[in-house]
Amino acid sequence: AQSVTQLDSQVPVFEEAPVELRCNYSSSVSVYLFWYVQYPNQGLQLLLKYLSGSTLVKGINGFEAEFNKSQTSFHLRKPSVHISDTAEYFCAVSEGAQKLVFGQGTRLTINP
Amino acid sequence: EAGVAQSPRYKIIEKRQSVAFWCNPISGHATLYWYQQILGQGPKLLIQFQNNGVVDDSQLPKDRFSAERLKGVDSTLKIQPAKLEDSAVYLCASRLMGDVSEAFFGQGTRLTVV
């Protein structure tokens, strides 16, 4: 069965600084990987996804992630964060069109 | 395109009472999920439907939780009787059948059991 580990529960950064949110997964088969963002009192919104092809995936709001099969990782990055990026970020894995399994989440806090 | 609709947005009940949540997925999405998100945790799958059939309900506490998806469209999740530990946000999501791409989420129902 697949599982997801988000290595940091909270990440504080200063505005305009770069950020990396770490995600590792385990699965016995090929997987599809996702990053979702959750703003307060909102549902989950897709940031980006890796299905196949290029291992560097670009998403919305300037975020990107790199799929590393050998390290079973899918870390999320942004070169310069903004106050509006303050939110909870969830990494998720899916085997085929089945259920999404989520990590515990990383709370990103941007300080001015 | 209309998104996934959920109601109510908020609900407060006393323990041992019953409660029901409603979800209307995106039109044409055959796959529907109910997730439970406890504060400070990631969403946990409760049940997955494909049209009106259950695909996965391995983590649904069947002694108190039930869900149905009549006619393969709207879905209802019920808790009876509720416990304090059921306090959480209940998220509904939908996806095109066989689609490995994005699942679309509703805004969720925040349940507080007192």
Side-chain angles (χ1 to χ4, degrees), chain A residues 36 38 41-42 49 98 100, chain B residues 9 35 95 101 103 107:
Chain A
Y36 281 83
Q38 186 175 38
N41 298 315
Q42 298 293 318
K49 61 193 175 191
Q98 298 308 311
L100 282 168
Chain B
R9 285 295 314 276
Y35 283 86
R95 207 178 193 180
S101 186
Q107 291 192 304

Side-chain angles (χ1 to χ4, degrees), chain B residues 32-103:
Chain B
L32 185 146
Y33 309 90
W34 282 102
Y35 283 86
Q36 179 192 57
Q37 185 179 17
I38 293 173
L39 186 65
Q41 299 182 18
K44 181 186 81 171
L45 180 72
L46 292 176
I47 189 166
Q48 176 185 347
F49 290 96
Q50 198 86 286
N51 294 308
N52 59 352
V54 175
V55 174
D56 184 347
D57 64 356
S58 57
Q59 296 193 86
L60 186 74
K62 298 180 186 63
D63 57 333
R64 298 183 300 106
F65 285 65
S66 65
E68 61 182 11
R69 192 183 182 197
L70 301 176
K71 301 180 182 178
V73 182
D74 293 8
S75 178
T76 303
L77 177 69
K78 296 178 181 177
I79 308 175
Q80 182 179 11
K83 294 184 175 182
L84 295 176
E85 59 260 37
D86 299 330
S87 294
V89 176
Y90 291 85
L91 295 164
C92 179
S94 71
R95 207 178 193 180
L96 287 169
M97 186 171 67
D99 188 355
V100 300
S101 186
E102 181 177 1

Side-chain angles (χ1 to χ4, degrees), chain B residues 11-29:
Chain B
K11 190 74 177 179
I12 301 174
I13 63 172
E14 294 182 351
K15 59 183 179 183
R16 292 188 288 273
Q17 285 187 322
S18 62
V19 64
F21 314 126
W22 174 82
C23 172
N24 185 16
I26 292 173
S27 177
H29 283 195

Side-chain angles (χ1 to χ4, degrees), chain A residues 3-74:
Chain A
S3 66
V4 178
T5 302
Q6 291 184 242
L7 299 163
D8 307 292
S9 59
Q10 295 186 65
V11 174
V13 295
F14 287 106
E15 195 171 15
E16 298 184 6
V19 69
E20 178 180 80
L21 307 184
R22 297 180 293 167
C23 171
N24 285 93
Y25 69 93
S26 67
S27 175
S28 57
V29 299
S30 294
V31 296
Y32 305 101
L33 295 156
F34 306 81
W35 276 98
Y36 281 83
V37 61
Q38 186 175 38
Y39 299 103
N41 298 315
Q42 298 293 318
L44 298 167
Q45 178 185 2
L46 183 71
L47 271 180
L48 48 78
K49 61 193 175 191
Y50 172 78
L51 304 181
S52 65
S54 173
T55 57
L56 182 62
V57 179
K58 293 190 183 297
I60 63 171
N61 301 339
F63 284 93
E64 64 181 32
E66 185 155 19
F67 170 58
N68 188 318
K69 188 174 182 179
S70 63
Q71 296 186 5
T72 60
S73 68
F74 190 55

